Amino acid sequence: MAAGDQRRRRAGSFAVEILGKRLLSCPTAFAESWRRCREAVDEAEAAADAEVLAVNGPSKPRPATTAEAQSREATAAGVVGAWLKTVAPEVKEEIGAIDRVVAGLGFDTTRNNVTAQDPAADARFDKPSLALIDEAPPPGKTWRG
């Protein structure tokens, strides 16, 4: 196996990992990361595999604050997008599918204020989830009123 192919696979795996983590976080976090990726695909200079791997470098200490972690994730999403530019022709259909899903969630990724937009759906706030919270406080406890 050629080193370049292995590096490309690792970079692709990291790209999927970054977007996957954001997707599991919430629709808004994913839409914002996708906006940054798309912006880089459309406007940035293409990034090499090594640049993506550097963003994921094992030497990086754990972020001390949530703001620092969010800043790193935003940077990673931009680098991933710049890398995605190098493979965009090969994954054009997949990019289009993600664009459609994000738009279907009610996000306009052409605007920079994705985090100020409300998603059309967010399982964290569905009625069944809220009902469980209301009906099931921890054993021996009650919710504060």
Side-chain angles (χ1 to χ4, degrees), residues 69 88 91 97 112 115:
V91 293
N112 284 337
T115 57

Short mmCIF file of all heavy atoms in Angstrom, two decimals, residues 69 88 91 97 112 115:
data_model
loop_
_atom_site.label_atom_id
_atom_site.label_comp_id
_atom_site.label_asym_id
_atom_site.label_seq_id
_atom_site.Cartn_x
_atom_site.Cartn_y
_atom_site.Cartn_z
N ALA A 69 -12.31 24.62 22.54
CA ALA A 69 -12.70 23.41 21.81
C ALA A 69 -13.51 23.77 20.58
O ALA A 69 -13.31 23.22 19.49
CB ALA A 69 -13.49 22.47 22.72
N ALA A 88 -13.62 16.70 -4.19
CA ALA A 88 -15.00 17.10 -4.46
C ALA A 88 -15.58 16.49 -5.74
O ALA A 88 -16.74 16.04 -5.73
CB ALA A 88 -15.12 18.62 -4.48
N VAL A 91 -16.89 13.05 -4.97
CA VAL A 91 -17.97 12.92 -3.99
C VAL A 91 -19.04 14.00 -4.19
O VAL A 91 -19.72 14.40 -3.25
CB VAL A 91 -17.42 12.94 -2.53
CG1 VAL A 91 -16.59 11.69 -2.25
CG2 VAL A 91 -16.64 14.20 -2.25
N ALA A 97 -26.09 15.70 -1.46
CA ALA A 97 -27.04 15.08 -0.53
C ALA A 97 -26.97 15.75 0.85
O ALA A 97 -28.00 16.01 1.47
CB ALA A 97 -26.75 13.58 -0.40
N ASN A 112 -23.80 33.59 7.29
CA ASN A 112 -22.80 33.28 8.31
C ASN A 112 -23.40 33.05 9.70
O ASN A 112 -22.68 32.72 10.62
CB ASN A 112 -21.75 34.39 8.40
CG ASN A 112 -20.77 34.32 7.25
OD1 ASN A 112 -20.60 33.27 6.65
ND2 ASN A 112 -20.14 35.42 6.95
N THR A 115 -25.71 29.53 13.49
CA THR A 115 -26.00 29.24 14.90
C THR A 115 -27.17 30.05 15.43
O THR A 115 -27.73 29.72 16.48
CB THR A 115 -24.76 29.46 15.79
OG1 THR A 115 -24.31 30.80 15.63
CG2 THR A 115 -23.66 28.48 15.43
#
